[in-house]
Coordinates of all heavy atoms in Angstrom, one line a residue:
M37 N 117.1 116.3 107.3 CA 116.9 115.0 106.9 C 117.2 114.1 108.1 O 118.1 114.5 108.9 CB 117.7 114.6 105.7 CG 117.5 115.5 104.5 SD 115.8 115.6 103.9 CE 115.6 114.0 103.3
S38 N 116.7 112.9 108.1 CA 116.9 112.0 109.3 C 117.6 110.8 108.8 O 117.1 110.1 107.9 CB 115.6 111.6 109.9 OG 115.8 110.7 110.9
G39 N 118.8 110.5 109.3 CA 119.5 109.3 109.0 C 119.2 108.2 110.1 O 119.3 108.5 111.3
G40 N 118.8 107.1 109.6 CA 118.4 106.0 110.5 C 119.6 105.2 111.0 O 120.7 105.4 110.6
L41 N 119.4 104.4 112.0 CA 120.4 103.5 112.6 C 121.0 102.6 111.6 O 122.2 102.5 111.5 CB 119.8 102.7 113.8 CG 120.8 101.8 114.5 CD1 121.9 102.6 115.1 CD2 120.0 101.0 115.5
S42 N 120.2 102.0 110.7 CA 120.7 101.0 109.7 C 121.6 101.8 108.7 O 122.6 101.3 108.2 CB 119.6 100.3 109.0 OG 118.8 101.2 108.4
E43 N 121.2 103.0 108.4 CA 122.0 103.8 107.5 C 123.4 104.1 108.0 O 124.4 104.1 107.3 CB 121.3 105.1 107.1 CG 121.9 105.9 106.0 CD 121.0 107.0 105.6 OE1 120.1 106.8 104.8 OE2 121.3 108.2 106.0
G44 N 123.4 104.4 109.3 CA 124.7 104.7 110.0 C 125.6 103.5 109.9 O 126.8 103.6 109.7
W45 N 125.0 102.3 110.2 CA 125.8 101.1 110.1 C 126.3 100.8 108.7 O 127.5 100.5 108.5 CB 125.0 99.9 110.6 CG 125.0 99.8 112.1 CD1 123.9 100.1 112.9 CD2 126.0 99.4 113.0 NE1 124.3 99.9 114.2 CE2 125.6 99.5 114.3 CE3 127.4 99.0 112.7 CZ2 126.3 99.2 115.4 CZ3 128.2 98.8 113.9 CH2 127.6 98.8 115.1
A46 N 125.5 101.0 107.7 CA 125.9 100.8 106.3 C 127.0 101.7 105.9 O 128.0 101.3 105.2 CB 124.7 101.1 105.4
K47 N 127.0 103.0 106.4 CA 128.0 103.9 106.1 C 129.3 103.5 106.7 O 130.4 103.6 106.1 CB 127.6 105.3 106.6 CG 128.5 106.4 106.2 CD 127.9 107.8 106.6 CE 128.5 108.9 106.0 NZ 127.9 110.2 106.3
R48 N 129.3 103.0 108.0 CA 130.5 102.6 108.6 C 131.1 101.3 108.0 O 132.3 101.2 107.8 CB 130.2 102.3 110.1 CG 130.3 103.6 110.9 CD 130.2 103.3 112.4 NE 129.3 104.3 112.9 CZ 128.2 104.0 113.5 NH1 127.8 102.7 113.7 NH2 127.4 104.9 114.0
L49 N 130.2 100.4 107.7 CA 130.7 99.1 107.1 C 131.2 99.2 105.7 O 132.2 98.6 105.3 CB 129.6 98.1 107.2 CG 129.2 97.7 108.7 CD1 128.0 96.7 108.6 CD2 130.3 97.0 109.4

Side-chain angles (χ1 to χ4, degrees):
M37 302 305 292
S38 175
L41 179 63
S42 61
E43 185 172 282
W45 280 107
K47 190 174 192 176
R48 276 188 226 118
L49 294 175

